[in-house]
Amino acid sequence: MNFFEIDINYYDLKISVYIICEEGQSLLIFYYPLSIEAFTVDDRGFHNIWDIVLHDNEILSDANTLNTFFLEAIKKAGFRIIGHIYHKFADEGEGVTGLFLLSESHLSFHTYPETNYISIDVYTCGKQAICIHNDIENFFKNSKRFTVRGLERGSRLNSSVALTEKIRMKMRA
């Protein structure tokens, strides 16, 4: 009879797997900690922010085009919208700010036509928003500068993962 112990790190949660086997056949497998909840509750989140500078500011004042784009990107990614609000500024510049409240978290944006800049913030729980990223990159493909930063979040992250920031920057002429 053989006894094996394997330690697995799942974020900050250390899981010990014990296997007792005889002649290559597994007889008993058990885990520590013995909390089913530790294996089923997934509070991981993915927080991505975009800083985009355009060559032209025309679209940054167009509330309808921006809202339509973000609405379609959210739907395409399979997220559920539970609320939406936006505001087109008239007194203090011509910018637009918008927020989509999602069952998975949120998407927000704010434009500064005076500096050709848009900031976009997407936080999703449980699944990444790769599709939204691709749509944003394609929509703003003629940007002067395109920077995206991503951060994984959640209660089980260890400090090295929580501090890891992925940055991708494209400088366009």
Side-chain angles (χ1 to χ4, degrees):
M1 183 171 295
N2 295 314
F3 174 81
F4 299 96
E5 177 181 356
I6 302 168
D7 288 328
I8 301 170
N9 289 317
Y10 179 72
Y11 297 93
D12 279 336
L13 180 65
K14 181 180 176 185
I15 303 167
S16 295
V17 180
Y18 302 95
I19 304 170
I20 301 171
C21 59
E22 184 174 307
E23 296 178 24
Q25 297 258 334
S26 186
L27 299 177
L28 178 64
I29 300 174
F30 57 98
Y31 306 92
Y32 181 81
L34 296 175
S35 166
I36 297 299
E37 201 171 276
F39 299 102
T40 58
V41 175
D42 186 4
D43 65 357
R44 285 182 304 165
F46 303 92
H47 201 162
N48 294 293
I49 59 172
W50 289 261
D51 292 300
I52 303 169
V53 178
L54 303 176
H55 291 284
D56 183 311
N57 69 1
E58 185 177 330
I59 197 166
L60 300 179
S61 299
D62 189 340
N64 290 332
T65 298
L66 290 167
N67 279 293
T68 300
F69 162 69
F70 287 115
L71 177 66
E72 293 304 314
I74 290 167
K75 286 180 179 179
K76 183 178 171 184
F79 293 109
R80 193 169 67 97
I81 299 168
I82 56 178
H84 172 233
I85 189 168
Y86 73 93
H87 178 75
K88 167 82 167 84
F89 293 93
D91 298 338
E92 304 168 19
E94 296 292 319
V96 180
T97 190
L99 172 66
F100 290 85
L101 184 60
L102 310 176
S103 61
E104 299 82 4
S105 199
H106 73 271
L107 179 149
S108 64
F109 67 93
H110 193 80
T111 70
Y112 298 84
E114 303 83 8
T115 58
N116 296 358
Y117 171 71
I118 182 170
S119 64
I120 305 166
D121 175 54
V122 177
Y123 181 63
T124 57
C125 299
K127 68 177 182 176
Q128 295 189 42
I130 299 299
C131 186
I132 289 176
H133 169 79
N134 293 339
D135 286 347
I136 290 170
E137 190 169 29
N138 288 331
F139 190 77
F140 296 104
K141 64 184 170 209
N142 294 322
S143 61
K144 186 177 182 178
R145 190 181 80 218
F146 186 97
T147 305
V148 61
R149 289 170 281 195
L151 183 64
E152 191 172 348
R153 301 176 70 182
S155 65
R156 294 189 179 110
L157 294 177
N158 63 39
S159 58
S160 63
V161 172
L163 295 175
T164 301
E165 189 176 73
K166 300 171 190 171
I167 300 174
R168 191 172 91 205
M169 178 183 257
K170 291 183 179 179
M171 295 299 285
R172 298 182 174 123

